[in-house]
């Protein structure tokens, strides 16, 4: 049975062993591996998932502790879990019934969120990349889901953006469709070797929308037939984007939150932050995480700690050292976030503004105008992302843009570093005035293009000032 080849550009942190674990767990629970059968050899699993032996061993150990497998003397994993037919239906019904709404929402969100990323990946693909795509599509009996997963990972990989690939794999983990089949559907027509890029893109669109629509229909039919037999209550499990897989990286998200509190004036420059225990309680993290976060903020020039006094907010970014590993890591996430936003923000903005009522559109205009009047136009980003979070009809997009907003706060110190002696208000006053004008004239396409232009500009300028981060990416 053919396994899916997970992309080599995936993150290499400790949490990725769960991708392997969940893949095998799902296939065991749903009866695709039977009692007494062997899982693929460790070396084969490493090749297919493009992960090292540590990740594979961790996944197998967890499978063993959960009672799914045991290891024999030849280092082969033998399935010991007995997947009875009734239990298989129960596992599937419970899993998909709890996620039915989230999966349907995801299918509708993907064209707006992943579609632009995928098309940009195709645009950047080399001739070798296109040859791989042609070869995959020319196979008359390859499973559609396998094609979609492998080609998406291939095309998204050309962007060299780990954050985007992280989002893609989190989606796959939530859907779990690819874990359950290798040959769900077959391609009836094959592409000729000389097919143009336009023909390939058209075929990929056809495969994507046709196959996923069919899967969702089959899933809904299955849930209506089997789901009622099991009590699942009113609980539902929505999609959640897990950007940080290792707990020490909580300091990055906490640093972003504190930076934004400084931007909004909750922690004014020249004031002291609350004590470590108070910060830990307020943000629901450990004191150790707070301590690591304050060290990071000091490296960014945001704060300065004094023994016996506390941590002072200084925002002295002129001496920022981009070669420091922790700053490099945070700024890498910031740049990757800017790229993701620059590629997706137009379609998502247009969809959201058209979904708003007339009253909501007028209220948004008034809020931007208030920022202009109060000379707080640097808060236009916060206003925009809160608007998306509350008004976009799609849950997945709201979740993803909420996480993007958190990463974007990292841009404030680098923004101050870039503009140096320029006034922050002057930088965004022209943009805010343009946005207000476009909203009042109901020029929704131009309003969306304005946000795309701003994000593209932010990305260009940030990359120009962070060559070391670019080199790493």
């Amino acid at each position: 049975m053919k396994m899916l080849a997970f992309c080599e550009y995936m993150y290499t942190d400790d949490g990725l062993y769960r991708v392997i674990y969940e893949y095998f767990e799902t296939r065991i629970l749903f009866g695709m591996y039977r009692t007494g059968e062997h899982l693929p050899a460790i070396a084969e699993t490493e090749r297919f998932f493009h992960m090292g032996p540590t990740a594979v061993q961790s996944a197998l150990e967890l499978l063993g502790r959960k009672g799914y497998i045991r290891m024999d003397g030849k280092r082969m994993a033998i399935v010991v879990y007995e997947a009875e037919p009734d239990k298989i239906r129960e596992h599937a019904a419970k899993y998909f019934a709890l996620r039915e709404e989230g999966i349907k929402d995801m299918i509708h969100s993907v064209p707006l969120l992943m579609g632009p990323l995928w098309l940009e990946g195709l645009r950047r693909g080399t001739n070798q990349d296109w040859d791989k795509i042609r070869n995959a599509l020319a196979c008359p009996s390859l499973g559609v889901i396998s094609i979609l997963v492998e080609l998406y990972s291939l095309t998204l990989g050309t962007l060299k953006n780990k954050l985007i690939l992280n989002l893609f794999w989190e989606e796959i983990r939530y859907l779990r469709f690819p874990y359950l089949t290798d040959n769900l559907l077959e391609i009836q027509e094959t592409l000729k070797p000389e097919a143009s890029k336009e023909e390939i893109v058209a075929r990929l669109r056809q495969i994507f929308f046709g196959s996923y629509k069919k899967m969702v229909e089959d899933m809904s039919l299955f849930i209506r037939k089997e789901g009622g037999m099991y009590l699942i209550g009113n609980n539902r499990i929505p999609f959640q984007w897990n950007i940080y897989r290792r707990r020490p990286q909580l300091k990055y998200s906490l640093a972003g939150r504190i930076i934004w509190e400084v931007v909004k004036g909750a922690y004014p420059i020249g004031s002291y932050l609350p004590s470590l225990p108070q910060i830990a309680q307020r943000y629901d993290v450990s004191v150790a995480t707070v301590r690591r976060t304050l060290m990071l903020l000091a490296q960014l020039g945001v704060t300065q700690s004094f023994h016996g006094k506390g941590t002072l907010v200084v925002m002295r970014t002129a001496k920022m050292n981009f070669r420091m590993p922790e700053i490099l890591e945070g700024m890498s996430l910031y740049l990757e976030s800017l790229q993701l936003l620059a590629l997706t923000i137009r379609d998502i903005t247009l969809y959201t503004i058209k979904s708003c009522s007339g009253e909501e559109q007028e209220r948004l205009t008034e809020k931007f105008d208030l920022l202009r009047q109060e000379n707080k136009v640097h808060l236009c980003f916060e206003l925009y992302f809160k608007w998306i979070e509350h008004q976009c009809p799609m849950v997945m997009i709201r979740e993803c843009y909420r996480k993007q907003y958190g990463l974007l706060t990292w841009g404030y110190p680098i923004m101050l570093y870039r503009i140096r002696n320029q006034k922050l208000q002057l930088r965004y006053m022209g943009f805010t005035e343009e946005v207000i004008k476009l909203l009042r004239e109901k020029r929704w396409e131009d309003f969306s293009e304005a946000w795309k232009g701003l994000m593209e500009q932010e990305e260009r300028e940030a990359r120009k000032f962070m060559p070391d981060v670019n080199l790493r990416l």
Side-chain angles (χ1 to χ4, degrees):
M1 185 174 292
K2 178 181 178 295
M3 290 176 56
L4 300 178
F6 278 61
C7 179
E8 60 186 314
Y9 295 107
M10 291 180 67
Y11 281 118
T12 57
D13 62 41
D14 298 342
L16 272 186
Y17 76 91
R18 294 197 65 87
V19 173
I20 304 174
Y21 166 79
E22 290 171 2
Y23 175 86
F24 287 121
E25 179 196 42
T26 302
R27 293 171 78 95
I28 292 171
L29 286 175
F30 292 4
M32 300 195 72
Y33 285 114
R34 299 289 184 170
T35 305
E37 292 184 350
H38 288 81
L39 299 186
I42 293 176
E44 182 182 352
T45 302
E46 291 175 18
R47 289 194 299 272
F48 279 119
F49 283 88
H50 293 277
M51 295 188 196
T54 301
V56 177
Q57 289 287 359
S58 297
L60 294 177
E61 289 173 6
L62 184 55
L63 287 167
R65 291 199 301 271
K66 295 289 186 177
Y68 295 124
I69 66 168
R70 66 173 174 82
M71 304 298 294
D72 67 10
K74 298 179 180 179
R75 304 295 295 165
M76 293 291 290
I78 302 175
V79 177
V80 296
Y81 180 85
E82 295 185 7
E84 300 174 1
D86 289 344
K87 283 294 184 181
I88 292 173
R89 289 195 297 272
E90 179 182 352
H91 291 316
K94 286 181 176 180
Y95 183 88
F96 289 113
L98 290 172
R99 293 164 178 80
E100 181 181 17
E101 294 177 6
I103 290 174
K104 288 181 177 179
D105 177 87
M106 180 178 288
I107 298 304
H108 291 299
S109 301
V110 162
L112 292 173
L113 188 60
M114 300 304 296
L117 302 175
W118 173 63
L119 289 174
E120 179 65 14
L122 288 173
R123 188 187 69 80
R124 297 192 185 192
T126 64
N127 290 333
Q128 184 179 9
D129 293 331
W130 280 98
D131 287 341
K132 291 179 181 179
I133 293 173
R134 288 187 177 92
N135 291 335
L137 290 175
C139 179
S141 60
L142 188 62
V144 170
I145 307 308
S146 297
I147 288 178
L148 286 174
V149 171
E150 296 188 21
L151 293 187
Y152 255 88
S153 65
L154 171 64
T155 54
L156 292 176
T158 65
L159 299 176
K160 301 296 189 293
N161 186 313
K162 293 181 179 179
L163 187 66
I164 290 174
L165 284 162
N166 173 281
L167 174 60
F168 171 68
W169 290 113
E170 288 294 306
E171 292 175 14
I172 295 300
R173 293 174 69 191
Y174 183 79
L175 288 171
R176 295 211 181 184
F177 288 150
Y179 297 172
L180 303 180
T181 182
D182 292 321
N183 294 290
L184 182 63
L185 298 172
E186 292 188 353
I187 301 175
Q188 300 301 322
E189 300 176 10
T190 60
L191 285 178
K192 297 179 180 179
E194 63 273 14
S196 67
K197 293 181 179 180
E198 291 74 16
E199 290 175 316
I200 293 175
V201 171
R203 172 55 58 82
L204 288 172
R205 286 182 180 275
Q206 177 188 12
I207 293 171
F208 175 81
F209 290 109
S211 61
Y212 270 81
K213 182 175 182 293
K214 178 66 165 55
M215 282 191 299
V216 171
E217 291 173 350
D218 290 345
M219 177 194 68
S220 298
L221 179 63
F222 172 79
I223 291 173
R224 286 195 297 271
K225 181 179 178 182
E226 303 284 351
M229 298 174 59
Y230 310 103
L231 296 177
I232 61 173
N234 294 321
N235 295 325
R236 294 294 182 269
I237 301 177
F239 170 75
Q240 292 184 320
W241 185 11
N242 179 21
I243 294 175
Y244 303 112
R245 296 180 180 276
R246 286 183 296 182
R247 187 162 182 79
Q249 289 184 325
L250 284 172
K251 65 186 176 186
Y252 292 113
S253 56
L254 178 57
R257 294 176 69 181
I258 292 177
I259 289 169
W260 200 245
E261 296 285 2
V262 173
V263 174
K264 293 191 296 183
Y267 302 135
I269 296 175
S271 68
Y272 282 87
L273 294 178
S275 67
L276 269 66
Q278 289 174 327
I279 295 175
Q281 183 177 12
R282 176 173 180 178
Y283 296 102
D284 192 25
V285 296
S286 68
V287 172
T289 295
V290 176
R291 191 172 287 111
R292 286 191 293 266
T293 300
L294 294 182
M295 293 176 60
L296 179 59
L297 290 173
Q299 294 170 355
L300 289 168
V302 176
T303 63
Q304 184 175 358
S305 296
F306 296 93
H307 183 69
K309 289 186 176 181
T311 302
L312 183 68
V313 179
V314 295
M315 201 57 76
R316 298 169 183 165
T317 60
K319 297 182 180 180
M320 194 181 301
N321 182 359
F322 293 112
R323 294 183 181 274
M324 297 187 69
E326 293 190 329
I327 293 181
L328 193 60
E329 175 71 18
M331 291 308 168
S332 296
L333 287 168
Y334 170 59
L335 278 181
E336 290 172 344
S337 177
L338 283 177
Q339 184 185 39
L340 191 157
L341 289 167
L343 292 171
T344 62
I345 199 167
R346 181 197 177 278
D347 291 348
I348 288 173
T349 302
L350 184 59
Y351 177 81
T352 304
I353 193 66
K354 286 185 174 182
S355 301
C356 290
S357 65
E359 292 79 9
E360 290 166 346
Q361 293 166 354
E362 291 177 5
R363 192 154 41 245
L364 180 64
T365 307
E366 293 170 358
K367 289 180 179 179
F368 275 109
D369 195 28
L370 184 61
L371 289 184
R372 181 186 62 80
Q373 294 175 31
E374 295 180 348
N375 206 32
K376 296 181 179 179
V377 293
H378 64 289
L379 298 179
C380 62
F381 293 102
E382 180 186 33
L383 174 55
Y384 170 84
F385 283 96
K386 285 187 177 298
W387 170 67
I388 290 289
E389 183 177 348
H390 290 98
Q391 298 300 330
C392 184
M394 297 183 183
V395 177
M396 179 182 174
I397 290 176
R398 297 201 300 267
E399 163 72 5
C400 292
Y401 265 50
R402 180 167 56 249
K403 296 294 175 64
Q404 290 298 292
Y405 174 60
L407 294 177
L408 208 62
T409 57
W410 272 84
Y412 187 73
I414 188 61
M415 184 191 307
L416 294 180
Y417 181 88
R418 289 201 321 259
I419 65 177
R420 299 298 173 90
N421 296 324
Q422 301 177 40
K423 289 187 176 181
L424 192 60
Q425 299 306 312
L426 291 178
R427 176 175 178 80
Y428 296 107
M429 182 60 76
F431 171 77
T432 304
E433 291 175 341
E434 179 188 10
V435 161
I436 295 169
K437 180 176 183 291
L438 296 174
L439 285 171
R440 284 175 174 166
E441 296 175 357
K442 302 186 184 302
R443 293 163 56 186
W444 310 137
E445 287 80 5
D446 292 335
F447 171 70
S448 304
E449 285 288 350
W451 280 101
K452 178 184 178 183
L454 177 63
M455 288 302 174
E456 290 176 339
Q457 175 184 324
E458 293 290 316
E459 182 188 1
R460 281 195 304 271
E461 295 187 6
R463 291 188 185 280
K464 187 185 304 181
F465 280 89
M466 290 187 284
D468 293 313
V469 181
N470 280 321
L471 182 62
R472 172 178 176 172
L473 296 175

